[in-house]
Amino acid sequence: MLETLRNAAPFLLQALWTTLWLGVVSFALSLAVGLLVAVVRLYGPPILRLLAAAFVSVVRGTPLLTQILLVYYGLPQLGVTIEAIPAVILTLALHAGAYTSEDIRGGMQSVDRGQWEAGYTVGMSFAQVLRRIILPQAVQVITPSLGNRFITMIKDTSLASVVTVVELTRVAEQVGSATFRYIEMFVIVAIIYWGANSLLSVGQARLERHLRRAYQ
Amino acid sequence: MNPEELHAQGIPHPHQSRACQIRAEGLHKRFGALEVLKGVSLSINKGEVVVIMGPSGSGKTTLIRCINFLEEPDQGRVMVCGLEVESGGRGGERGRRIRQLRAKAGMVFQSFNLFPHMTALGNVIEGPLQVLRMSKAEAEVLGVQLLAKVGLDAKVHEYPSRLSGGQKQRVAIARALAMSPEVVLFDEPTSALDPELHEEVLQTMRQLAKDGMTMIVVTHEVKFAREVADRVIFMDGGVIVEEGPPAEFFANPRHPRTRAFLRLVE
């Protein structure tokens, strides 16, 4: 196993890097999607609210793998061809965005209505109150669930392997099939995922502690 | 930046005496089947302190919430120093006018509604920073001044969670003053406080009245009304039942409903 690891190390490092940046970029975009969908669902005009609710329902009700395949293999049929990596990022961002929108929506609703009113009474606009008053308070509430979403995202990047993106899981598969060292390779990759996510969990716990301590 | 400098930039001085009225005309407001305001009109002169009393559900809170359009009236209009907003309609231009109106009509809530993620100073300067586009340095000077004025020089950098109810409410008053409003609306400012904390808030409000601030105060504090108000308004069932100078109002209430109410609160 050690020799397998030594031989595969350069590929694994490269692949870990791909996995991480895919996860980070997709997650950042999913926050933007989630915020937009949450705001529309809470405060948008009725038709947009309905569309946003339908988006969340469809995305949460269908498998991520199906969505990735649809975007990568399906869209070209309609004349829209997207490279593998952008296709994966787009899909992951929309998919996770549907989930984070629910977290963000709940977080915003947990902020007392009086906070909106206090912001309005000093003459602030909707966008100003949202950005300056509501979101900072919502963040405190939703950080734990967003942390979990991020970890889920890192694991979900493994599905990019089915559309030729060379990330951790794909490397394990490739090296495994070239050397017949499947068990070793998948165990190694599993450990790498686990290690990365454990580090993220520690970071998340620290962030939560920090946020709990703030404002005292 | 002090009020004189603000004034030089076209922001009205809070205490200047000039022909400026706060008027509400024919305000109607209905929540479902319940008609809370049945055509209330009110006219207040610059520098006047008006106390609104009345049983709960009489519409007094809704009235002041309609004055700054926190509650959208179904009918009627509001004028604050020449700026007029009417009920009905929508759109960006109207939204802008409502925001201007709110900047001119500060509000102090029963439940304080301080921003918990900002220090006392942060709470006070948020409006000047975001709405008046004041520089941070100027806003902080103003904020520290106002917090000193309400007796909280020592609490400038505390978060609301570290403040007592009375201190919170005084920060809320400073926050309202920071916009150099033409009028400050008080919605039962002492009702959420323990009795021993009422006085510090009332003292701050007395000082404000002495400085010439125009104030509309919904409260059950009879002593405050007697001492500070220029006029007391009694509301019941969504209408103004009677009004008058406090001496007269408390000594000779004309309407039986006023008399019944005063027997309860005094």
Side-chain angles (χ1 to χ4, degrees):
Chain A
M1 179 142 160
L2 273 181
E3 203 193 317
T4 314
L5 178 60
R6 200 162 44 238
N7 291 336
F11 304 108
L12 286 172
L13 270 179
Q14 181 65 39
L16 173 61
W17 169 241
T18 306
T19 290
L20 288 178
W21 81 254
L22 261 185
V24 169
V25 170
S26 307
F27 185 68
L29 288 174
S30 83
L31 290 181
V33 172
L35 178 60
L36 182 72
V37 172
V39 170
V40 167
R41 281 195 76 176
L42 283 175
Y43 310 109
I47 292 181
L48 288 185
R49 277 187 211 200
L50 214 64
L51 276 177
F55 165 78
V56 171
S57 172
V58 168
V59 170
R60 294 207 306 177
T62 53
L64 176 56
L65 181 56
T66 311
Q67 293 166 8
I68 291 176
L69 294 173
L70 182 67
V71 169
Y72 185 68
Y73 293 115
L75 286 186
Q77 216 177 308
L78 302 175
V80 183
T81 306
I82 310 178
E83 293 287 312
I85 285 182
V88 165
I89 290 175
L90 174 73
T91 317
L92 285 174
L94 290 176
H95 182 84
Y99 284 91
T100 53
S101 77
E102 290 293 276
D103 299 332
I104 294 172
R105 189 163 72 115
M108 294 202 301
Q109 279 179 312
S110 75
V111 178
D112 185 70
R113 201 170 65 106
Q115 293 290 308
W116 283 98
E117 296 190 341
Y120 283 147
T121 51
V122 293
M124 291 167 86
S125 65
F126 172 85
Q128 285 175 321
V129 180
L130 186 67
R131 183 170 56 84
R132 299 280 309 172
I133 311 297
I134 305 303
L135 285 179
Q137 295 182 59
V139 162
Q140 228 182 337
V141 180
I142 60 186
T143 305
S145 35
L146 289 186
N148 293 336
R149 300 270 180 242
F150 187 40
I151 286 170
T152 302
M153 172 67 86
I154 296 293
K155 293 186 291 182
D156 283 348
T157 55
S158 63
L159 290 173
S161 62
V162 300
V163 293
T164 74
V165 177
V166 185
E167 42 63 72
L168 276 175
T169 301
R170 178 96 174 170
V171 163
E173 203 184 338
Q174 285 174 335
V175 176
S177 68
T179 61
F180 290 105
R181 295 284 179 200
Y182 279 115
I183 291 187
E184 288 89 336
M185 283 313 295
F186 282 118
V187 166
I188 287 169
V189 161
I191 290 172
I192 294 176
Y193 278 117
W194 179 51
N197 283 331
S198 299
L199 283 178
L200 288 176
S201 299
V202 172
Q204 183 195 349
R206 283 197 178 183
L207 183 62
E208 281 172 35
R209 247 200 328 276
H210 173 76
L211 286 176
R212 258 203 309 278
R213 258 208 313 268
Y215 323 139
Q216 303 272 318
Chain B
M1 188 153 53
N2 66 35
E4 278 69 31
E5 288 170 73
L6 279 173
H7 183 49
Q9 298 186 359
I11 294 163
H13 191 291
H15 306 151
Q16 76 193 141
S17 53
R18 61 185 165 84
C20 159
Q21 274 197 325
I22 292 90
R23 289 160 70 93
E25 282 178 12
L27 290 178
H28 286 261
K29 178 67 187 177
R30 174 185 286 283
F31 294 112
L34 190 69
E35 196 173 13
V36 185
L37 292 181
K38 300 173 182 166
V40 174
S41 296
L42 189 64
S43 175
I44 292 162
N45 290 318
K46 194 74 198 158
E48 207 180 352
V49 176
V50 173
V51 165
I52 304 179
M53 306 189 104
S56 62
S58 59
K60 52 197 193 307
T61 289
T62 307
L63 171 61
I64 61 170
R65 287 169 60 88
C66 279
I67 289 177
N68 64 5
F69 281 75
L70 271 191
E71 230 49 93
E72 182 80 43
D74 299 325
Q75 256 182 70
R77 55 184 177 160
V78 173
M79 277 158 287
V80 174
C81 300
L83 184 77
E84 179 178 330
V85 184
E86 227 169 308
S87 68
R90 44 196 326 171
E93 212 287 309
R94 182 170 190 270
R96 250 191 310 284
R97 263 188 301 135
I98 289 180
R99 290 204 294 280
Q100 282 171 8
L101 182 82
R102 287 174 177 156
K104 284 170 184 272
M107 187 157 200
V108 175
F109 299 89
Q110 181 177 346
S111 49
F112 327 127
N113 295 343
L114 290 186
F115 307 132
H117 58 302
M118 296 178 185
T119 61
L121 182 62
N123 269 274
V124 174
I125 66 177
E126 184 65 8
L129 287 179
Q130 299 296 321
V131 180
L132 302 180
R133 300 271 166 217
M134 218 180 262
S135 77
K136 183 137 195 199
E138 283 173 323
E140 282 180 350
V141 171
L142 173 70
V144 170
Q145 257 173 28
L146 287 169
L147 284 169
K149 187 182 161 97
V150 299
L152 291 174
D153 340 31
K155 303 290 182 184
V156 168
H157 299 296
E158 293 285 7
Y159 284 97
S161 61
R162 293 279 182 112
L163 301 176
S164 73
Q167 291 169 338
K168 282 183 197 168
Q169 196 59 302
R170 286 186 280 153
V171 173
I173 292 172
R175 177 174 68 182
L177 295 179
M179 298 297 292
S180 302
E182 299 287 352
V183 54
V184 180
L185 313 167
F186 292 85
D187 183 13
E188 305 204 24
T190 55
S191 297
L193 296 173
D194 292 334
E196 72 271 19
L197 299 178
H198 286 202
E199 195 45 42
E200 58 181 274
V201 172
L202 293 174
Q203 193 49 44
T204 305
M205 291 167 62
R206 259 183 224 115
Q207 185 56 48
L208 208 56
K210 208 174 288 173
D211 294 348
M213 177 57 80
T214 313
M215 297 159 69
I216 306 180
V217 186
V218 171
T219 185
H220 297 298
E221 304 269 0
V222 172
K223 190 160 166 278
F224 177 82
R226 278 183 194 280
E227 290 168 6
V228 183
D230 298 301
R231 185 163 32 132
V232 182
I233 290 177
F234 178 72
M235 284 185 75
D236 195 16
V239 295
I240 293 178
V241 174
E242 76 173 274
E243 59 178 286
E248 198 183 308
F249 178 88
F250 290 108
N252 302 307
R254 293 184 303 267
H255 202 283
R257 276 191 285 177
T258 319
R259 285 199 287 271
F261 176 76
L262 288 178
R263 267 199 301 278
L264 287 177
V265 296
E266 276 189 305

